[in-house]
Amino acid sequence: MVKKVAIIGAGISGLASIRSCLEEGLEPTCFEKGEDVGGLWKFSDHAEEGRASIYRSVFTNSSKEMTCFPDFPFPDDFPNFMHNSKLQEYITAFAKEKNLLRYIQLKTLVSSVNKRPDFSVTGQWDVITEKDGKKESAVFDAVMICSGHHVYPNLPKESFQGLQLFKGKCFHSWDYKEPGIFKGKRVLVIGLGNSGCDIASELSHTAEQVIVSSRSGSWVMSRVWHGGYPWDMMFITRFETFLNNNLPTVISDWWYVKQMNARFKHENYGLMPLNGTLRKEPVFNDELPARILCGTVTVKPNVKEFTETSAIFEDGTVFEAIDCVIFATGYSYAHPFLDDSIIKSRDNEVTLFKGIFPPSLEKPTMAVIGLVQSLGAVIPTTDLQSRWAVRVIKGTCTLPSVKDMMNDIDEKMGKKLKWFGKSNTIQTDYIVYMDELASFIGAKPNIPWLFLTDPKLALEVYFGPCSSYQFRLVGPGKWPGARNAILTQWDRTLKPTTTRIVGSPLKPCLFCSWFRPVLISVLSIAAFLVLF
């Protein structure tokens, strides 16, 4: 019998999961609380409880060639970094092209997911949904949770002494939509992540004064990288990953900090992270340094104490007559329809094998898609996660023993502590993670073989951007257009910017971006050998 799969959420992860189920001959039913597909990227002019929320001016941080579904490139004329409305347009087009809408039940809330009494034998789940005040119950052979991790705001009011005395407005960035109502106001933004920097930069054009308070600082990267090319197409490459993971730590750390400081010296702007060598996800903002230079944004350390009208920072300085405090302090992970112990099976931490499967379940019939975070784009990640997860659910792929899965989780947590500073973070190394998943289903590109059989493609795959098309070159779900998409990815990148022809568009040199670090490494090793 065909296995029935319940998919919770019709955002990017949900659409990827529906498509993966169909590719493997499973029967998906997707439940979406909202009125449309798109999840996080479906803008609404007001925040709705239990749903992700973005502000009107949000743009993507990943470029279109790195962001797309691996067999569905963006139109040539789409900008490299898109406004949320453009990405929503693409997501809707993908859902229609792949005929996914028929499997989605909109305006339907999943209220509970529970193991059936015979779960240890069947692996089945009871799923209760609610629509128009009516509840329905159905049995599914598997459940894929695709509800994202930008739904439940983390508002740590108890961490700020005196905040209860503050008489101005106070809310989370989840509620922020546009800057108009802040004209002439004095605003304090707490948090130096992407949302905090975006909101501070935007408000600086209308507010009287904006101050950003940061506890630990952050690297701030531009979407425009060396030579004017999209940052991720130059930065996220297989060879760059090889160097980062194999060079001596001192050289790797030095080169990483040098890259982060290439645009401006972070210490001169009060932005320098407390531990600059950690590979925590940087902030992407093209405007913040200029707003700091112009004096319309000021960066301060953590807030020590609030009074009725002001904030006192840890350096003793005071921001007075504050009208509004905006907490850009991230989100909590929650699945209110599910027993917490299934996903947080140890010390209240998210414990998932490869960031997808709860290791302690008797049957591997539940998968969490889209809960990892990396420098890479979300769409390719969820596409590959769902392809593997569906094959595990179908029985084509198998999971290791519980002991081996827990050992793998512990090993990964140790590496995360070293690279990101926290063992329980959902961050991961993009290319290493993608290759690991791809190897499980036979979709990982064989680089040595490519160099022997198709050197032109191999050069692009290894030294060029690690775009999503690479993971549809071989294996199940292989896309015949993948090779051509890789070889023409720079043409689509340059198309929307070369609107005034002043010569032939210049593509980047594949070797230039890594020649300097290799040369520096060789010279450093040579100097070490000579001196010692």
Side-chain angles (χ1 to χ4, degrees), residues 223-251:
R223 294 176 177 87
V224 185
W225 203 241
H226 303 312
Y229 301 107
W231 76 271
D232 48 357
M233 295 188 74
M234 303 295 291
F235 194 79
I236 302 179
T237 73
R238 291 182 175 278
F239 190 71
E240 183 91 23
T241 297
F242 171 80
L243 291 180
N244 288 335
N245 292 334
N246 291 279
L247 284 175
T249 301
V250 64
I251 296 175

Side-chain angles (χ1 to χ4, degrees), residues 37-54:
V37 301
L40 174 70
W41 294 99
K42 178 60 179 177
F43 174 78
S44 172
D45 57 10
H46 63 280
E48 301 174 32
E49 186 177 353
R51 294 197 66 226
S53 175
I54 57 174

